[in-house]
Every structure is written in structure tokens, then in C-alpha cells.
Amino acid sequence: MTKYIHAAKFFMPHVTESGGYLQITSDGKFGEYFPETIRPDGDIIEYPDMWVTPGLVDTHIHGLLGHDVMDNDWAGIDAMSRNLVKAGVTSWLPTTLTGSFSQLKEVCATIAQHAGEESGAKIQGIYFEGPYFTTKHKGAQNPKYFKNPSLAEFSEWQSAANGLIKKIAIAPEREDSVAFTRQVVSKGTVVALGHSDATFEQAKACVNAGASMFTHTFNGMSPLSHRAPGMVGAAMYLQGVTDELICDGHHVRPEVATTLVRLVGPEHVALITDCMRAGMMPDGDYKLGELPVYVKDGMARLKEGNSLAGSVLQLKDALINLLAWGAATPEEAVKMATVTPATSCHIEQQCGSILPGRPADYLVLDAKLGLHATYLDGQLAYRAGTQDESK
């Protein structure tokens, strides 16, 4: 049965509509939008003081609720999917860590075998974070697996993934990185640059070869200085690239996050969480891949060296943070968590916008961007204040 959502605002692709009615078709798709002056016939769901936005798209997330993509356990990945709707996420890319060739291949095969069976947020592909990194800015990646890029290896992983690898991050200073970038991009996979001590010139060479993203900008990369722009300088200066950004207030200071948004614009900033298995879990001891981690005061840190080790951020909270910092308008914050990340990974035809014929994956937010409800295919998947004990 066709129904209509009546709300105070609708965040459409090119304009924010005040009031009106959004059609949800009987097969769970977005239909037409009607202005406030035209009340359609049909079942109307009232959210008169709320805002309707596309569902959020997390294109860089490793774990949640004690599960990690590298556990290679479909039940755990499905539990992540099921609970991501509580963070406002309706589409995501399960994200790997550095690991052995065989381990990564097995993870690819597991996700490929089951993708489409997930019971919550939709798997739109896989993000390979590594293993083609360098040691100086290794972060929480295990350097014992670092090596030079190999098209033969990547092709085997992509075959095992049934083409689901949408993005791979590499360090531009690795041998053959430019040739690898050119070849991988020509086959439709996005190349991101990160965990790297590359010079500005090395990063630029990879961007000229087709790399189009920077992995968690400012974190795990050579910094900007006035005579050595480094990776950060490349992320801020080069045009036509998208910069991932973790807005938990720990990875990047609010002033710096605000500066990046102002400089490159929300169409070039993709909000991510980089969340690890302690997301939605209490403080304590955990592991990220093979490395011991402790979580305290909203931060995950390696026990050895005390480096930040991913985050425990929920993407819905990144929106609230940006608004509180004065870094973005509500429309800009939503864009950076929906259409920008979707477009950056070439999945914008599946998610990130309210458009006729697209799956009706959407959120109901208040005027402070607080999450009240998440819908998948037009059906209520989560309502704030309710408890789902299944993990």
C-alpha cells in the first residue's frame, strides 16, 4: 500500500523542502514529493516537527558490538548490519585491516557469499584498508603485513569478492603505486591514499593516475608544513578528490575539521567512523586485528604506543558534532554523511539520496539532528527509545 510521510523538512538532492508529503511506494521505494498545499490521498505517517533525510552511508567501518570484519564471521557481520541502523546507517562498506593474503581472501569470499542476506544496513561493497602501507604512519595497522602493491593479488581478492571491493587504500610512496593505481581505477575500483609518509609530489602522482580519496584525513599521513605540504597538503590542495574525516573530536580538533570543510566544501568531505569492535560497547580491553587496544573516555588506543586505534564513533553523532562546532549547516552535515561518501565510492545509484525509484532508506531527525527513527525499504527498522537485545 502506498503511504506518505508528512514532515517539517525533507532533505532532497538539490533543495531542502519545508513541509510537504513524500510518497513511499508499496514496494518500498521513494515516489513523488508533494508540497504542503497538496495533501495526497492515502495513508499518511505524521512527523510534523521532524526532518526527513537519506539514510547515512558509512564507507569506512571495521567493527561494532564486539564484532570485527576480520573475524570472518558472517553472523558477526550481520549483527553489525542489524545494529548500524541505531547509528542512522542504512548502507555501509565492511572494512578490512591489513592481514595475510589468504586471510583477506577468505574475508572477501565470506562477504561475497552472503551479501544481500544482511538483516539491517545494506552492504554496498567492501573497503580494503591496506595492506599496501608504510610503517611511519602505520596507526593501528599491523606492519608485518605491509608490502608493495600487486595487481595479481588484488585481482584474486576482487575475484573472491565477486567484484565487491569498491575502494582500496594504499601508500603512494610504495613501489609501483602509480601503475597499480592506474590499473585498479581503470577496472572501476576507487583508490584512496593513507597510512603514508608520502611527499606532496608522490601523492599528486597517484592522484594524477586516478586516486580520488584520502583516508581519514590528517590521521596516519605526513603533515602539512609551509615547505613540505605532505599528504595533508595534497588532501587540502588537489582538486577533484574526496577527504575522509573522523568527527569524534579526538582524531581531529574541531577547528581543523571546520577548516577542511570550509576549504574543500561538503561535496568533497566524506564523514566516516573508522569504528572498531568496541563501538556501542563499554570501556575496557579489546583487539583491533591482532593488536591489543583499550577504550576509555570515548577513545580507542593501542596498548603499545598509545596511538589512536580506530574509533567508537557512531555516524549519527558526527552530524551532531559538526553542528555543535559550527562547522556545517544541517544540510551540509547530512550531505557529508550521505551523498558525498556514496559518490566517492561509486555507489550513489544505490544509496545516499532521496530520489524516485530509489530504495526508501531514510531517517527521521529532530532540529538538532538527533535520530528518532531509521527506515529501510520504507519499513521501520529502529525507533529511538526502543531496545533490540539481539546482537
Side-chain angles (χ1 to χ4, degrees), residues 50-303:
M50 298 293 178
W51 297 354
V52 172
T53 75
L56 308 185
V57 182
D58 197 343
T59 55
H60 184 162
I61 173 171
H62 298 280
L64 195 72
L65 282 168
H67 307 288
D68 190 294
V69 172
M70 295 299 284
D71 294 340
N72 194 27
D73 170 40
W74 174 251
I77 292 173
D78 187 48
M80 291 175 62
S81 165
R82 187 168 60 252
N83 285 278
L84 274 170
V85 296
K86 300 175 185 178
V89 174
T90 57
S91 286
W92 64 302
L93 299 186
T95 304
T96 63
L97 293 161
T98 55
S100 69
F101 171 81
S102 59
Q103 183 185 17
L104 289 167
K105 187 174 179 179
E106 288 166 4
V107 171
C108 286
T110 296
I111 296 174
Q113 180 182 353
H114 294 284
E117 300 173 9
E118 60 271 16
S119 54
K122 299 170 183 177
I123 293 174
Q124 302 290 1
I126 300 170
Y127 174 26
F128 254 50
E129 193 184 7
Y132 306 139
F133 292 148
T134 47
T135 301
K136 184 172 181 180
H137 294 284
K138 66 182 186 298
Q141 300 280 351
N142 194 332
K144 79 177 185 179
Y145 297 113
F146 290 176
K147 51 187 167 181
N148 292 327
S150 164
L151 186 63
E153 277 189 336
F154 177 78
S155 297
E156 279 201 55
W157 288 327
Q158 187 66 289
S159 178
N162 197 25
L164 280 175
I165 301 175
K166 300 297 183 182
K167 176 170 63 166
I168 182 169
I170 68 170
E173 69 268 40
R174 300 273 354 181
E175 185 178 343
D176 296 328
S177 61
V178 170
F180 177 85
T181 296
R182 187 178 299 114
Q183 292 167 321
V184 168
V185 168
S186 72
K187 298 178 184 296
T189 300
V190 170
V191 171
L193 307 178
H195 288 285
S196 163
D197 195 40
T199 64
F200 175 88
E201 289 74 20
Q202 289 169 324
K204 180 182 174 182
C206 274
V207 170
N208 284 341
S212 57
M213 295 199 73
F214 286 81
T215 299
H216 42 52
T217 307
F218 302 108
N219 302 114
M221 59 177 62
S222 47
L224 167 71
S225 76
H226 61 301
R227 292 195 180 95
M231 285 273 285
V232 169
M236 299 176 78
Y237 176 80
L238 297 176
Q239 298 182 21
V241 298
T242 302
D243 300 333
E244 291 185 350
L245 191 62
I246 305 172
C247 287
D248 60 357
H250 305 299
H251 280 77
V252 180
R253 275 185 57 147
E255 299 90 340
V256 178
T258 303
T259 298
L260 183 69
V261 173
R262 289 176 181 172
L263 180 66
V264 306
E267 65 274 16
H268 295 294
V269 175
L271 299 182
I272 58 152
T273 61
D274 198 14
C275 187
M276 48 84 72
R277 71 170 73 242
M280 296 185 179
M281 297 284 282
D283 287 358
D285 293 338
Y286 297 89
K287 276 197 170 183
L288 182 59
E290 301 172 8
L291 305 179
V293 172
Y294 73 93
V295 175
K296 184 180 179 182
D297 299 327
M299 290 176 279
R301 293 186 175 274
L302 290 179
K303 286 192 172 182

